[in-house]
Amino acid sequence: MPPPIDLTATIGGRKVTPALPIVDGSASPPNELQFNSTLSSFISQNVPLEPVEGIQRRERVLVKMGILCREWVQSVAAKRGLSSDAVASAGGELFTSGSYRLGVHEPGADIDTIVVVPSICTKEDFFGSGYVPPGSMMQDDEDGVNEMRDPDSLAERIRRHPDVTNFIPVEGAAVPILTFDWEGINIDLLFARLNAPSVPANFDIDNDMVLSGVDSATEKSLNGPRVTNLIAALVGGTEERYQTFLTVVRLVRKWAKARGLYSNKLGYWGGVNINIAVALVLQLYPNACPASLLRKFFLVFKSWRWPNPVMLTKPHDAELGLPVWNAFQAATMRQVAPMITPAYPAMNSTLSVSRQTLQILHEEFARGHNVVDKLYKDWQKGDVLDKEKVESGEMWKELFEPSDFFISYPHYLSMCIVGPTQSDAQSWAGFVVSRLRKLVSDQLGRSLPLKKIQLWPKEFSACIAERSALLTHAQRANSITYFVGFRVDALRMRGSELDIERQLQNFSKFELSRFHPLIPGMDVLPKTFGVKELPKICFEDVYEGGKVAAMKRRRMLIEADPKRIEAKNKKKLAKLKKKMEAMKRKKEESKAIEEKVEADMKEEADTADAQESRKRKRDGDDANGEDDNVDAEKEEEEEAALLESALDKIQDSAGVVQHKTREEAEIDRQKLLAGELLHDEDVEVKTEQQDRKLTPEEMEEEILRNSGVVIVSDDEATIVGGNKILPWRYGYKNAAGVKKEEPDQKEEKEDQKESKPAQLVRTKRVAFKFKTKFDVVELDESGRVIDKGDDDFTPSLKWTGRKGGFEFKLGERGLGYYRTGKKVVIPSNMAYS
């Protein structure tokens, strides 16, 4: 059984224990150690350390700064009139914090320093403000432009040093700071004033009693080195463990910078937050190798249950009257992702993290875990990854790929910060940048219908503003630009346009107006872009092919988006289901038709069988009753003979001149029934009509009458043509409407063929050619003529056909020209004139 792991530390006269128990204290197995070798290869080529010359230059600069600070403290003590012994013992120490104190040693990293001075030194002595030269009558103007600094102040001593450049004093901040470059090394110098007459060389900054009687600015300044020292003590049980901590810190810092997550003042994680997070994971897995610890880092914070606080040790109260973070306070209830500093007084180091930035952090934690876990599983399989990439460590590059921020959103907002001079622009930009997170999280993120909004923490040294902006050459030269990407929630949108003017005005009114002094020429210029309208400068350092390559990658990411693929698959599935339903419906309809046809055929067959059975039954009855009907037929023949004799007597008694036999009388009877036998009066009328000459109208009427057309006048319009089968509709006897002859009658007709040939019922084909001019009219449903003017239709004398759209046909009340396909009612004489 391995010995228990002790992670407690004693610092500042106090014993500190971890807040969480160890999850897995076992050492990494051999396969994880082999996997860690690939990470070591990647680190050696892609995560370089500060060279020895750079480390020595940093140490040399810090020594010079320490000497300069102590000289300044002694000058202040002498100015106060202290004795020479008091001046010599006044002291003054320079402390470091952050990555430099931990030994991360990144090339080009800044150095966070704090000068700790006795109570005789004030903030005015540090900055040299409020200084009036002896005998000078000059007064400061309202903006403080002509303000002079004390040449004996520390700020002026540093500014006048020949190795110092880019000197910027920020006196009005919550934590006063001097920012400058010393031999090319960026240094942030904070001011801490103790409630003590001197600061000896063996001063213990980790002791809680150093905070007794200090102001708020000093408390925050001292918190930096105290937190860094306590983190180093909690992870420094063994040299191997401490080196693992530093390795993972370097990797996480590189990952955060590449993915746009490294900026505490803009709402993400800063250096202190990364140090605390990696130290927490190391407490949970104290013996893990760097590769395993990196994988556990992403797993822990991917699964972390926010807003539960991240803390290395439980907060304690030294009873010095300073506020200590408490989870049950009302103010802490609104904190999104608290990360508590381990030193007294415990405070939340991630107050700037908002709901919007936490969403982005969580997405990146999940992505990082997926990448590292997939690399580990593929490496275990052995034949998935390229051997050259495994040996050189290039397989880890996927984790540190630059963020696709500038192709991830459809809309962007740029904030161009301009100033009249370089020094004014730097101080103005520092103030505006420290409040950009409030614009993004408080103004835009809360009041607008947005799905996601992200502030890119890297600045662009360019003036990206509207061309119509009236800017001087100096303003354009002294300007920086930040970008914000956002995606609109269409379900919450009201209208088609998103108006952010009110939010920008509130930001300028309530936040930017606090800056003092606000010099003319200081301004913030917003501008909106679409993703394809972004300037090329946004893509130059990220994609090898610039904007063209970025747009191609954007298209590739859109095509590979799982949500888009799922939506396309759902659309295809819905289309396929619709097609299948149509096919199924069509199949059911065809099946129903087939069933109906089968049923009709079956019904016809049943009907035919029934008729056949009835016929067979009737034939059988006739055969059975043939003998019975012999006597009845004889009786009928006798009755018919008697009837014929009676009719002959009636004919003789009537005095008919021409005596007709029975056969001739039967023929006359058949003609009479067919309408062929005319009376003498009709013959006389016809003869008179033939003698008189007919008018053209009467001739046309006669032609129509002879062709079988029924001529109806307005007074006699009672015969409807639609319910009568006209003669030209059939040509033979057996046509529709002609009664079928019985077998007996058929035999009689055959007997009559010898005496008189039968007449054909077929009618003649008649071609109508009108010589009289007439007008073709169109009627409405009530039978009234629709007046269409004189240009509607005017046929010529030679016209024998029909006009397109009209046809000569029989309406319900007569013949005439009607529009094709339109059923109308028209009297027979209204189509003629």
Side-chain angles (χ1 to χ4, degrees):
M1 182 176 180
I5 302 174
D6 186 13
L7 297 178
T8 61
T10 302
I11 183 171
R14 184 172 64 92
K15 189 176 181 180
V16 182
T17 58
L20 299 178
I22 296 174
V23 175
D24 185 6
S26 61
S28 299
N31 59 339
E32 291 188 359
L33 294 176
Q34 294 177 3
F35 181 64
N36 184 68
S37 62
T38 62
L39 182 60
S40 300
S41 301
F42 175 80
I43 293 174
S44 62
Q45 298 180 7
N46 298 277
V47 190
L49 296 175
E50 182 80 12
V52 178
E53 295 79 6
I55 296 175
Q56 292 176 353
R57 185 172 70 253
R58 290 171 181 269
E59 293 176 353
R60 183 174 62 252
V61 169
L62 290 176
V63 170
K64 292 181 181 180
M65 283 185 59
I67 295 173
L68 185 62
C69 291
R70 284 188 290 271
E71 291 177 353
W72 166 71
V73 173
Q74 291 176 0
S75 68
V76 173
K79 188 183 297 185
R80 296 290 189 269
L82 300 181
S83 62
S84 59
D85 293 337
V87 172
S89 63
E93 292 294 329
L94 188 68
F95 294 91
T96 60
S97 65
S99 60
Y100 180 81
R101 163 63 183 85
L102 292 174
V104 176
H105 295 313
E106 287 184 344
D110 59 353
I111 302 178
D112 297 323
T113 59
I114 300 94
V115 57
V116 182
V117 299
S119 58
I120 58 174
C121 299
T122 62
K123 187 173 73 171
E124 289 74 14
D125 296 327
F126 179 75
F127 285 97
S129 58
Y131 173 73
V132 178
S136 175
M137 301 299 294
M138 181 185 67
Q139 296 181 354
D140 299 339
D141 60 5
E142 295 180 357
D143 295 334
V145 176
N146 298 324
E147 182 180 1
M148 295 183 62
R149 297 187 182 275
D150 187 357
D152 291 334
S153 64
L154 182 60
E156 282 298 304
R157 289 171 183 261
I158 294 175
R159 187 185 66 82
R160 292 197 305 264
H161 197 279
D163 296 331
V164 173
T165 57
N166 299 328
F167 178 82
I168 301 175
V170 184
E171 186 176 359
V175 180
I177 185 174
L178 294 177
T179 301
F180 53 90
D181 294 340
W182 194 313
E183 295 186 13
I185 301 172
N186 182 257
I187 295 176
D188 295 335
L189 179 61
L190 303 179
F191 173 76
R193 178 173 177 261
L194 299 182
N195 188 19
S198 64
V199 181
N202 59 351
F203 174 73
D204 186 7
I205 196 174
D206 297 319
N207 194 312
D208 295 338
M209 298 308 296
V210 301
L211 299 176
S212 177
V214 301
D215 56 11
S216 176
T218 298
E219 172 201 340
K220 291 181 175 62
S221 299
L222 292 175
N223 194 47
R226 286 167 55 83
V227 169
T228 306
N229 294 341
L230 189 52
I231 292 174
L234 289 173
V235 299
T238 62
E239 182 63 25
E240 182 181 359
R241 188 180 303 160
Y242 190 76
Q243 291 300 323
T244 299
F245 167 76
L246 292 180
T247 301
V248 177
V249 166
R250 294 190 192 103
L251 293 172
V252 174
R253 287 166 64 95
K254 180 179 178 61
W255 166 79
K257 292 178 181 179
R259 304 300 298 177
L261 308 174
Y262 191 80
S263 179
N264 182 267
K265 63 182 178 181
L266 293 181
Y268 302 102
W269 280 6
V272 176
N273 309 127
I274 292 175
N275 297 339
I276 295 176
V278 176
L280 175 70
V281 179
L282 187 63
Q283 287 181 342
L284 301 177
Y285 307 93
N287 291 328
C289 63
S292 299
L293 192 67
L294 182 62
R295 186 158 57 97
K296 299 297 183 182
F297 170 83
F298 290 114
L299 176 62
V300 167
F301 289 101
K302 168 192 173 184
S303 309
W304 194 265
R305 299 177 182 177
W306 305 105
N308 290 340
V310 175
M311 57 177 65
L312 299 180
T313 182
K314 293 182 179 179
H316 81 287
D317 191 355
E319 298 181 356
L320 296 177
L322 299 177
V324 179
W325 187 89
N326 188 346
F328 302 101
Q329 293 177 351
T332 60
M333 296 295 181
R334 296 188 295 270
Q335 296 174 4
V336 177
M339 185 174 291
I340 312 306
T341 57
Y344 173 81
M347 61 182 66
N348 183 11
S349 62
T350 55
L351 276 174
S352 59
V353 175
S354 63
R355 180 181 59 83
Q356 291 79 13
T357 54
L358 179 61
Q359 177 187 3
I360 297 167
L361 286 169
H362 183 268
E363 291 177 357
E364 291 297 334
F365 288 142
R367 174 192 173 273
H369 177 261
N370 293 336
V371 172
V372 178
D373 193 59
K374 184 176 182 299
L375 287 176
Y376 180 64
K377 291 179 179 179
D378 292 345
W379 179 84
Q380 284 182 321
K381 294 178 182 178
D383 55 348
V384 177
L385 299 175
D386 189 359
K387 292 183 179 180
E388 294 183 359
K389 292 184 178 181
V390 172
E391 294 176 357
S392 62
E394 291 185 4
M395 65 178 188
W396 288 92
K397 285 188 176 181
E398 182 181 359
L399 177 64
F400 304 95
E401 284 183 352
S403 173
D404 293 318
F405 169 79
F406 288 102
I407 59 175
S408 298
Y409 297 93
H411 308 286
Y412 291 87
L413 172 68
S414 67
M415 303 294 291
C416 183
I417 307 170
V418 299
T421 62
Q422 183 178 3
S423 59
D424 292 336
Q426 288 177 346
S427 58
W428 168 244
F431 176 82
V432 174
V433 171
S434 65
R435 283 158 175 76
L436 278 180
R437 60 182 178 85
K438 294 186 177 181
L439 170 66
V440 175
S441 300
D442 299 342
Q443 296 290 339
L444 300 178
R446 291 183 181 181
S447 60
L448 295 179
L450 303 179
K451 281 186 177 180
K452 187 179 178 182
I453 185 169
Q454 181 179 357
L455 171 62
W456 187 244
K458 298 180 181 180
E459 66 180 43
F460 290 88
S461 299
C463 182
I464 302 175
E466 297 287 353
R467 294 185 177 180
S468 59
L470 301 177
L471 298 177
T472 63
H473 179 73
Q475 285 178 310
R476 293 187 179 275
N478 301 310
S479 61
I480 60 173
T481 303
Y482 282 84
F483 282 89
V484 179
F486 58 93
R487 184 176 291 109
V488 179
D489 188 355
L491 298 178
R492 296 163 53 200
M493 270 291 287
R494 294 182 179 180
S496 58
E497 294 184 356
L498 187 68
D499 187 10
I500 62 174
E501 185 66 27
R502 182 172 61 85
Q503 287 75 13
L504 293 175
Q505 290 178 356
N506 292 338
F507 176 67
S508 177
K509 180 179 179 181
F510 298 109
E511 296 295 337
L512 301 185
S513 61
R514 297 180 181 181
F515 182 78
H516 182 78
L518 188 60
I519 301 174
M522 295 180 177
D523 201 355
V524 178
L525 306 175
K527 183 181 179 181
T528 57
F529 296 89
V531 62
K532 296 182 179 180
E533 301 169 355
L534 288 171
K536 296 181 180 179
I537 192 175
C538 299
F539 309 96
E540 290 178 353
D541 298 335
V542 182
Y543 304 97
E544 293 183 358
K547 188 173 182 179
V548 177
M551 293 299 106
K552 290 182 179 179
R553 177 170 174 79
R554 177 176 177 269
R555 173 53 55 187
M556 182 187 69
L557 293 176
I558 292 175
E559 295 294 337
D561 186 11
K563 293 183 179 180
R564 181 182 176 88
I565 295 174
E566 184 180 359
K568 291 177 66 176
N569 292 338
K570 286 183 178 180
K571 188 175 181 181
K572 289 182 180 179
L573 182 61
K575 188 176 181 180
L576 182 60
K577 285 183 178 179
K578 187 176 181 181
K579 187 176 181 180
M580 293 297 294
E581 289 176 358
M583 294 175 63
K584 184 178 179 180
R585 185 169 57 254
K586 187 175 181 181
K587 187 176 181 180
E588 291 176 354
E589 291 176 356
S590 61
K591 185 178 180 181
I593 294 173
E594 292 178 358
E595 292 178 353
K596 184 177 181 181
V597 171
E598 291 179 359
D600 294 343
M601 293 177 64
K602 185 177 180 181
E603 184 178 357
E604 291 179 0
D606 295 341
T607 304
D609 294 341
Q611 291 178 356
E612 186 66 23
S613 62
R614 287 196 299 270
K615 183 178 180 181
R616 287 197 300 268
K617 183 177 180 181
R618 185 171 60 253
D619 293 343
D621 294 341
D622 294 341
N624 294 332
E626 188 175 308
D627 296 337
D628 298 335
N629 295 332
V630 172
D631 297 337
E633 290 180 357
K634 290 182 179 180
E635 292 178 359
E636 290 178 358
E637 289 179 359
E638 292 176 357
E639 290 179 359
L642 293 174
L643 180 60
E644 293 295 335
S645 301
L647 291 175
D648 291 341
K649 291 179 180 180
I650 291 172
Q651 183 179 358
D652 294 340
S653 63
V656 178
V657 178
Q658 182 180 0
H659 182 75
K660 297 182 180 180
T661 63
R662 293 182 179 180
E663 291 77 7
E664 293 175 350
E666 178 64 20
I667 293 172
D668 292 340
R669 185 174 68 85
Q670 293 291 340
K671 289 182 178 181
L672 181 63
L673 294 176
E676 296 178 1
L677 188 62
L678 301 176
H679 296 285
D680 295 340
E681 295 178 357
D682 297 337
V683 174
E684 293 176 359
V685 172
K686 185 176 181 181
T687 305
E688 291 177 1
Q689 291 178 352
Q690 290 177 354
D691 294 340
R692 183 176 60 86
K693 188 175 181 179
L694 301 178
T695 63
E697 289 80 1
E698 292 176 347
M699 292 178 64
E700 293 178 359
E701 181 179 355
E702 186 67 21
I703 293 173
L704 294 174
R705 190 188 304 277
N706 293 336
S707 62
V709 177
V710 179
I711 305 300
V712 183
S713 64
D714 291 340
D715 298 334
E716 300 175 349
T718 57
I719 300 176
V720 181
N723 59 3
K724 183 177 184 301
I725 300 177
L726 299 177
W728 60 77
R729 298 289 184 181
Y730 55 88
Y732 301 94
K733 281 185 178 182
N734 294 334
V738 182
K739 186 176 181 182
K740 187 176 180 180
E741 296 180 351
E742 297 294 334
D744 297 339
Q745 295 178 356
K746 187 176 181 180
E747 292 178 359
E748 293 178 1
K749 288 296 180 78
E750 289 178 356
D751 296 338
Q752 294 176 2
K753 285 181 181 180
E754 298 177 358
S755 60
K756 188 175 181 178
Q759 296 181 359
L760 294 177
V761 186
R762 180 189 296 272
T763 59
K764 298 180 181 180
R765 293 184 177 274
V766 180
F768 296 99
K769 297 183 180 180
F770 296 97
K771 297 180 180 180
T772 305
K773 293 183 179 180
F774 59 89
D775 295 331
V776 178
V777 298
E778 182 182 358
L779 305 181
D780 57 11
E781 295 179 356
S782 302
R784 299 177 181 178
V785 178
I786 299 175
D787 185 10
K788 290 194 174 184
D790 298 335
D791 297 334
D792 183 46
F793 183 63
T794 306
S796 63
L797 295 175
K798 298 181 179 180
W799 181 81
T800 59
R802 70 180 179 87
K803 183 184 178 182
F806 292 85
E807 63 179 355
F808 186 81
K809 63 180 181 180
L810 177 68
E812 291 190 354
R813 295 187 61 185
L815 292 173
Y817 270 86
Y818 308 105
R819 287 194 178 277
T820 304
K822 185 173 180 63
K823 181 179 180 181
V824 297
V825 178
I826 180 171
S828 60
N829 64 341
M830 289 190 69
Y832 309 98
S833 61

